[in-house]
Amino acid sequence: MKYLEEFQNPDLARRLLDDIRASVTRPWALMEVCGGQTHTIIRHGIDQLLPEGIELIHGPGCPVCVTPLEVIDKALEIASRPEVIFCSFGDMLRVPGTDRDLFRVRGEGGDVRVVYSPLDALRVAEQNPDKQVVFFGIGFETTAPPNAMTVYQAKKRGIGNFSLLVSHVRVPPAIEAIMQSPECRVQGFLAAGHVCSVMGTAEYPELAERFKVPIVVTGFEPLDILEGIRRTVRQLERGEHTVDNAYPRAVRDEGNPAAQAMLADVFETTDRAWRGIGTIPQSGWRLSSRYREFDAEHRFDVGGVNTCEPAACRAGEVLQGLLKPHQCEAFGTECTPRNPLGATMVSSEGACAAYYLYRRLGAPAAPAAPLEASPVA
């Protein structure tokens, strides 16, 4: 497949690493704001191949991981109702709530179904007019447009037994919150290419200028990551702080106007809680007043949920980039993918899951082997 092998070429990886080494004169701390990028970095050992002093900080880039516990518990309460068919992507089923997860609800008799598209859930609603069908709509700007389109179609086609449990979040306010934290060490960002393919780059120049940090839009293959790091380090060494699109094969500055128009019609921005982080102003979406009838929280009146995070789970610090997963005392012992304490261990984009899957179980590894043995290959 085009753009698969080409962007995993070990010879090109070595050349990019040589260029990064030649550019670096001092330590720099960069943050990737995408769980897919985190998994690429850990899987291919990119962080271990970089020159000493270049640190990659894993940010809150996993949409499953930042879905707040309160919303998870609301999902569990709705899914337990006998009149409800609850539809979700598969990675949400093992995310722990206060005392159970969606797998447990299904085992107890709840009608919980895995779907591959929100339109699949709308089809379930058409086929089951005597049931209330709820789709769990989570994610960043990437998954918001298809969820918005599904609600738009439900209204247009008069499918009144469909609703959306919304927990959508936005990346730029999260970057702002990270930079305003007194514990922030981030000096540059690798921005998520799939988010920018939808929203474009217009929201980032103001952040780059205000916080004096370069923001480089980056893809997801090993060479994409290395090129993003190379461009970010080059800006930092020159004292520059601009937005740079290193993923032009997928991202245009204007993004996807049709998707943006759909978002503007169906959603409106709102303050949103992020699991382990807290509430970030204007960092999420909710259904606009024109589509409020399709809001599952309003339809099922699930307010007043009492939540309790496991005391041993330090996923919040991982999501903020304050802690590497293996530095958590529960990592790999009390907390494993089979028995997770937090969403960062169970999600396919979670940092803890990446460290566990690719055997980063202890202290940081020794310096990287010569490039001839590079795991990028």
Side-chain angles (χ1 to χ4, degrees):
M1 182 182 294
K2 190 170 177 63
Y3 297 143
L4 185 61
E5 291 184 0
E6 291 91 336
F7 284 86
Q8 296 185 4
N9 186 302
D11 293 327
L12 293 177
R14 294 182 188 105
R15 289 167 56 184
L16 285 168
L17 283 162
D18 287 343
D19 198 347
I20 293 169
R21 289 193 189 95
S23 302
V24 172
T25 63
R26 52 168 290 188
W28 300 108
L30 318 181
M31 174 177 280
E32 81 275 4
V33 196
C34 170
Q37 291 173 348
T38 300
H39 273 250
T40 296
I41 289 164
I42 303 305
R43 176 186 179 187
H44 294 278
I46 290 173
D47 55 331
Q48 296 176 327
L49 294 169
L50 291 172
E52 186 177 356
I54 301 298
E55 180 186 1
L56 296 181
I57 299 173
H58 315 311
C62 165
V64 172
C65 305
V66 301
T67 302
L69 185 59
E70 180 182 7
V71 174
I72 300 294
D73 283 352
K74 288 179 179 179
L76 297 171
E77 201 279 331
I78 293 171
S80 300
R81 300 191 180 192
E83 74 274 18
V84 168
I85 299 174
F86 194 89
C87 298
S88 173
F89 295 141
D91 55 1
M92 292 302 300
L93 267 64
R94 286 192 59 81
V95 177
T98 295
D99 56 8
R100 54 183 176 162
D101 57 26
L102 285 167
F103 267 126
R104 175 74 63 84
V105 171
R106 187 161 71 176
E108 294 169 350
D111 194 344
V112 177
R113 305 186 187 183
V114 174
V115 295
Y116 298 95
S117 161
L119 288 171
D120 290 343
L122 190 62
R123 193 172 301 113
V124 171
E126 285 185 295
Q127 296 168 350
N128 296 270
D130 59 329
K131 292 282 191 175
Q132 288 291 326
V133 176
V134 180
F135 179 72
F136 202 174
I138 71 156
F140 292 105
E141 294 92 332
T142 319
T143 55
N147 290 344
M149 172 59 78
T150 303
V151 173
Y152 173 85
Q153 288 292 330
K155 186 177 181 69
K156 181 179 179 180
R157 292 154 58 182
I159 305 175
N161 64 322
F162 175 84
S163 58
L164 190 70
L165 181 60
V166 185
S167 187
H168 280 301
V169 288
R170 302 172 55 239
V171 170
I175 290 178
E176 181 176 17
I178 288 165
M179 292 307 301
Q180 289 175 336
S181 169
E183 298 175 292
C184 176
R185 299 185 296 110
V186 179
Q187 296 164 293
F189 286 93
L190 305 180
H194 50 10
V195 169
C196 294
S197 71
V198 175
M199 303 304 295
T201 60
E203 295 181 274
Y204 294 105
E206 188 274 334
L207 292 170
E209 177 61 32
R210 177 156 43 117
F211 296 109
K212 309 301 181 189
V213 291
I215 300 176
V216 178
V217 180
T218 308
F220 308 93
E221 296 297 329
L223 296 190
D224 288 321
I225 302 293
L226 288 170
E227 175 64 5
I229 294 169
R230 186 185 73 85
R231 294 193 188 196
T232 307
V233 168
R234 181 170 292 184
Q235 281 202 49
L236 289 167
E237 290 284 340
R238 293 174 176 174
E240 299 172 355
H241 45 270
T242 63
V243 176
D244 185 9
N245 181 9
Y247 196 38
R249 70 182 187 275
V251 173
R252 299 177 298 176
D253 287 344
E254 67 273 21
N256 185 327
Q260 294 169 25
M262 180 58 63
L263 290 170
D265 177 41
V266 176
F267 290 127
E268 62 188 20
T269 57
T270 185
D271 299 347
R272 181 66 71 184
W274 295 53
R275 189 169 190 173
I277 297 174
T279 299
I280 301 177
Q282 296 299 294
S283 66
W285 277 305
R286 65 183 177 188
L287 290 172
S288 66
S289 58
R290 293 185 297 279
Y291 298 91
R292 195 61 50 81
E293 65 193 281
F294 296 97
D295 189 328
E297 287 196 56
H298 288 271
R299 180 170 295 188
F300 295 97
D301 190 23
V302 284
V305 173
N306 295 316
T307 63
C308 181
E309 292 277 9
C313 181
R314 302 180 68 183
E317 293 168 85
V318 172
L319 288 168
Q320 296 177 69
L322 304 176
L323 189 77
K324 292 292 194 294
H326 63 256
Q327 295 171 325
C328 173
E329 296 81 359
F331 177 79
T333 54
E334 294 179 67
C335 182
T336 66
R338 185 178 291 274
N339 190 31
L341 292 179
T344 50
M345 179 57 87
V346 70
S347 169
S348 61
E349 295 188 11
C352 296
Y355 272 62
Y356 192 94
L357 178 62
Y358 301 116
R359 313 310 293 171
R360 299 288 188 87
L361 305 182
L371 285 178
E372 285 70 24
S374 165
V376 175

